[in-house]
């Protein structure tokens, strides 16, 4: 059949590539041998099994997608498109054309409207937040609420920069979602065990509204059909764990008026600042010292990021210099630029 012939051709092509690789490993230069060895160490054959807790995992996943496109005979443009799609798949809902910080990752799109309505109407701690207390919440949310109340009492809201100020409703929504997602992040790093297989059982275990769980929680936690009697396990993949982490970073930035401390983010997520900075670059942030900013400064023109992914952690110059072009700064322009790195052989 046609499919059988295609499979044979693909198998023959893979065999030929393997033969060429073996020849280069045996008779190639030292440089070529090192390149092949490095690729074999970092090879990713199945993105579902990718260990996305790694600080370089986003780029590794993107390279895996691009490598897969090469075997299908795709053009360079198609490979770049694959890489961009792979790198952005884990980002929270965003507006690439946004020029204002508050529009880049709109708080109204972080979760579905129906999910938010359920959480707002049925969660005691969310209701208490809107009533002005945060006794049941984590320290970060308590501090965020106190700061918001102080700003509103002092009239800061009326004078705030329109690019960052969300208003009382938006700020409280960000705090509520952070409290909810932080709870999932801290207490369920791998899976959620429930007494039943349905959304109601999952909602009961988490003490969250069904309307929120069946939209916003299952976005990260999937039920692969792993049952032990009546019990079920809702598992979070490493890719989804990364996505949850990125959602939390965006919510921290939102609460902090899009100018946050990398150290604070690291402490909140129990990761090091090097990983924080790499993840924030993926979100389109500028870095300067300990500060992480989103669409608040006009940075120097960002250099393209090669697919080899250097481990250099040099901060972006978020405060100095003007962009060399007159094009408007948008979230799209702040994302790391990708280029395919060509390797010359003798």
């Amino acid at each position: 059949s046609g499919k059988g012939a295609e499979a044979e051709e693909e198998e023959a092509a893979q065999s030929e590539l393997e033969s060429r690789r073996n020849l280069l490993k045996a008779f190639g230069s030292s440089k070529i041998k090192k390149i092949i060895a490095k690729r074999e160490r970092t090879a990713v054959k199945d993105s579902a099994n990718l260990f996305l807790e790694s600080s370089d995992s986003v780029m590794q996943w993107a390279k895996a997608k691009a490598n897969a496109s090469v075997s299908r005979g795709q053009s360079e443009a198609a490979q770049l498109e694959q890489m961009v799609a792979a790198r952005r798949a884990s980002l929270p809902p965003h507006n690439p054309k946004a020029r204002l910080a508050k529009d880049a990752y709109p708080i109204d799109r972080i979760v579905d409207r129906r999910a938010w309505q359920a959480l707002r109407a049925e969660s005691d701690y969310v209701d208490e937040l809107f009533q002005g207390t945060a006794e049941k919440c984590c320290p970060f949310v308590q501090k965020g609420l106190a700061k918001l109340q102080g700003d509103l009492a002092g009239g800061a809201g009326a004078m705030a920069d329109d690019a960052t100020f969300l208003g009382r409703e938006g700020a409280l929504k960000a705090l509520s979602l952070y409290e909810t997602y932080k709870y999932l992040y801290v207490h369920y790093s791998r899976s959620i065990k429930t007494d039943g297989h349905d959304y109601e059982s999952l909602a009961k275990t988490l003490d969250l509204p069904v309307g929120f769980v069946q939209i916003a929680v299952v976005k990260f936690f999937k039920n692969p059909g792993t049952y032990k009697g009546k019990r079920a396990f809702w598992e979070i993949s490493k890719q989804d764990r990364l996505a949850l982490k990125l959602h939390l970073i965006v919510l921290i930035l939102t609460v902090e008026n899009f100018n946050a401390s990398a150290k604070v983010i690291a402490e909140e997520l129990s990761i090091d600042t090097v990983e924080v900075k790499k993840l924030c670059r993926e979100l389109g942030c500028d870095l300067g010292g300990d500060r992480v900013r989103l669409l608040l400064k006009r940075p120097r023109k960002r250099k393209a990021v090669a697919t080899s992914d250097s481990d250099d952690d040099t901060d972006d110059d978020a405060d100095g210099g003007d962009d060399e072009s007159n094009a408007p700064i948008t979230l799209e322009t702040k994302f790391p630029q990708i280029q395919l790195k060509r390797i010359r052989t003798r």
Side-chain angles (χ1 to χ4, degrees):
S1 66
K3 290 185 177 179
E6 290 179 3
E8 290 178 1
E9 290 179 1
E10 183 173 350
E11 185 177 348
Q14 291 294 334
S15 178
E16 182 180 350
L17 287 172
E18 185 66 26
S19 298
R20 290 171 59 188
R21 187 183 297 110
N22 290 335
L23 285 172
L24 287 171
K25 287 168 67 175
F27 304 106
S29 65
S30 298
K31 181 178 179 180
I32 291 297
K33 290 178 181 178
K34 289 180 180 179
I35 291 172
I36 293 174
K38 182 177 180 181
R39 286 184 175 179
E40 288 180 344
R41 287 195 302 270
T42 60
V44 180
K45 296 182 180 180
D46 183 358
S47 62
N49 295 325
L50 184 60
F51 188 73
L52 283 167
E53 293 298 309
S54 166
S55 59
D56 294 323
S57 57
V58 177
M59 179 56 89
Q60 293 291 351
W61 185 29
K63 286 195 289 187
K65 291 282 187 179
N67 290 340
S69 71
V70 173
S71 66
R72 293 193 294 270
Q74 293 186 359
S75 65
E76 181 174 305
Q79 294 175 48
L80 287 171
E81 185 177 350
Q82 289 266 356
M83 295 183 73
V84 170
R87 291 184 75 157
R88 305 217 181 141
S90 295
L91 299 185
H94 55 281
N95 176 14
K97 305 302 180 185
R99 298 188 187 184
L100 300 180
K102 66 179 182 180
D103 297 331
Y105 295 91
I107 190 64
D108 290 334
R109 290 180 56 195
I110 293 292
V111 296
D112 182 90
R113 175 178 55 83
R114 295 165 297 170
W116 167 245
Q117 288 175 345
L119 188 68
R120 176 70 179 88
E122 301 177 41
S123 293
D124 292 340
Y125 66 89
V126 174
D127 184 60
E128 290 179 3
L129 272 173
F130 276 79
Q131 295 298 324
T133 61
E135 294 179 359
K136 297 180 180 178
C137 299
C138 67
F140 179 82
V141 172
Q142 292 176 359
K143 292 178 183 177
L145 179 62
K147 180 179 182 298
L148 174 64
Q149 292 171 334
D151 289 345
L152 292 174
M159 300 180 291
D161 184 352
D162 184 57
T164 63
F165 189 67
L166 300 176
R168 179 178 181 273
E169 292 291 318
L172 289 173
K173 183 175 183 179
L175 289 169
S176 301
L177 292 175
Y178 183 80
E179 175 66 26
T180 306
Y181 282 146
K182 176 71 177 297
Y183 172 77
L184 295 174
Y185 180 81
V186 171
H187 295 282
Y188 302 101
S189 60
R190 294 187 178 181
S191 65
I192 305 170
K193 181 171 65 176
T194 61
D195 290 331
H197 309 153
D198 51 20
Y199 294 138
E200 287 76 12
S201 299
L202 180 59
K204 182 179 179 181
T205 299
L206 298 176
D207 194 21
L208 289 171
V210 175
F212 180 82
V213 166
Q214 65 185 6
I215 297 174
V217 174
V218 299
K219 176 180 180 180
F220 305 105
F221 292 85
K222 311 294 192 302
N223 188 338
T226 305
Y227 305 134
K228 289 187 177 180
K230 294 183 178 180
R231 292 185 174 180
F233 292 86
W234 299 76
E235 299 175 355
I236 184 169
S237 68
K238 288 160 186 176
Q239 176 189 344
D240 288 332
R241 176 78 174 171
L242 173 66
L244 179 57
K245 191 181 297 183
L246 290 168
H247 276 67
L248 285 167
I249 292 176
V250 165
L251 289 169
I252 291 174
L253 286 167
T254 303
V255 171
E256 296 290 318
N257 292 332
F258 308 98
N259 185 349
S261 161
K263 183 179 179 180
V264 168
I265 297 174
E267 290 174 350
E268 281 295 303
L269 302 185
S270 299
I271 57 179
D272 59 49
T273 55
V274 173
E275 183 176 356
V276 167
K277 292 179 179 182
K278 289 186 177 182
L279 292 175
C280 288
R281 286 193 183 98
E282 292 296 326
L283 290 166
C285 298
D286 290 312
L287 307 176
D290 180 56
R291 306 311 298 177
V292 176
R293 302 177 179 88
L294 179 64
L295 289 181
L296 296 184
K297 293 289 184 180
R298 190 175 179 85
R300 291 174 180 168
K301 193 171 183 180
R302 188 188 294 270
K303 295 181 180 179
V305 178
T307 60
S308 59
D309 242 18
S310 170
D311 290 330
D312 181 26
D313 188 44
T314 304
D315 289 338
D316 299 330
D317 185 359
D319 295 316
D322 290 331
D323 195 337
E324 295 178 8
S325 70
N326 293 320
I329 297 297
T330 65
L331 182 63
E332 181 76 38
T333 66
K334 303 305 290 297
F335 283 137
Q337 300 301 305
I338 302 172
Q339 65 182 19
L340 295 178
K341 184 175 181 180
R342 297 177 176 83
I343 300 175
R344 293 182 295 177
T345 59
R346 287 190 284 179

